[in-house]
Amino acid sequence: MKNIFLIGFMGCGKSTVASYMAQNYGMEVMEMDQLIVEREGMSIPEIFEKHGEEYFRTVETNLLIEIQSLENKVVSCGGGVVLREQNVAEMKKSGRIVLLTAKPETILERVKDDDNRPLLRGNKNVAFISGMMEKRRPKYEAAADVVIQTDGKSAEEICKEILK
Ligand code: S3P
């Protein structure tokens, strides 16, 4: 089986869905942010502070190129992976792209106690989140092979929709 790339805004449930798929459908998870943190030896906020966002995006691109030699992985992508057009092309070479969506209120609830997302620091409110989501929406939608709305659904329901 090809790889499955989960994309979507921060806090839309990519990691939760990926680990559910791994536990119940025998796929191996690749958590992009976590792999980047391990390889770079620093946290995501530190990477942004020390090297900047462009550097981080390049590390994402290189990881997506590496993943092309793998199969049967469920890849939980960072929320901004679609910002670089090349990244979408790299994902399409080895799998299908599934976009998870959620309402800004749901996102806020999930991210509000987490300080590990530099782009939301000091901006944890519905107005900022929905503005950023709207700006990114065309890129998310253009990249997606499948779109799954997740509000009010369990990880099991979402996984079943993905596999269908
Ligand atoms: C980002 C999302 C984060 C992380 C980084 C940038 C973004 O991943 O890659 O903070 O630009 O949306 P999550 O979507 O896993 O929070």
Side-chain angles (χ1 to χ4, degrees), residues 6-15 76-83 98-108 110-111 117 119-120 123 125-137 140 150:
L6 300 180
I7 64 164
F9 202 80
M10 294 168 263
C12 70
K14 293 163 292 193
S15 303
S76 175
C77 299
V81 78
V82 296
L83 297 180
V98 177
L99 170 62
L100 303 182
T101 66
K103 286 191 271 187
E105 291 78 4
T106 310
I107 300 283
L108 178 61
R110 293 188 186 143
V111 302
R117 294 180 170 102
L119 299 178
L120 293 181
N123 292 314
N125 57 73
V126 167
F128 182 85
I129 290 172
S130 50
M132 193 170 173
M133 264 176 148
E134 280 312 309
K135 240 192 250 165
R136 288 182 173 189
R137 183 197 294 274
Y140 283 132
T150 66

Side-chain angles (χ1 to χ4, degrees), residues 59-141:
V59 179
E60 287 186 310
T61 305
N62 292 338
L63 188 51
L64 290 171
I65 292 170
E66 265 183 56
I67 292 172
Q68 284 160 15
S69 62
L70 308 173
E71 55 181 30
N72 206 32
K73 304 279 183 261
V74 54
V75 185
S76 175
C77 299
V81 78
V82 296
L83 297 180
R84 227 186 231 194
E85 219 168 286
Q86 186 195 350
N87 288 352
V88 178
E90 302 299 353
M91 288 190 270
K92 286 193 185 285
K93 286 181 193 165
S94 74
R96 291 292 185 86
I97 303 179
V98 177
L99 170 62
L100 303 182
T101 66
K103 286 191 271 187
E105 291 78 4
T106 310
I107 300 283
L108 178 61
E109 202 44 46
R110 293 188 186 143
V111 302
K112 70 179 193 311
D113 298 323
D114 183 352
D115 255 350
N116 216 23
R117 294 180 170 102
L119 299 178
L120 293 181
R121 277 202 180 155
N123 292 314
K124 289 199 195 120
N125 57 73
V126 167
F128 182 85
I129 290 172
S130 50
M132 193 170 173
M133 264 176 148
E134 280 312 309
K135 240 192 250 165
R136 288 182 173 189
R137 183 197 294 274
K139 290 193 170 157
Y140 283 132
E141 290 181 351

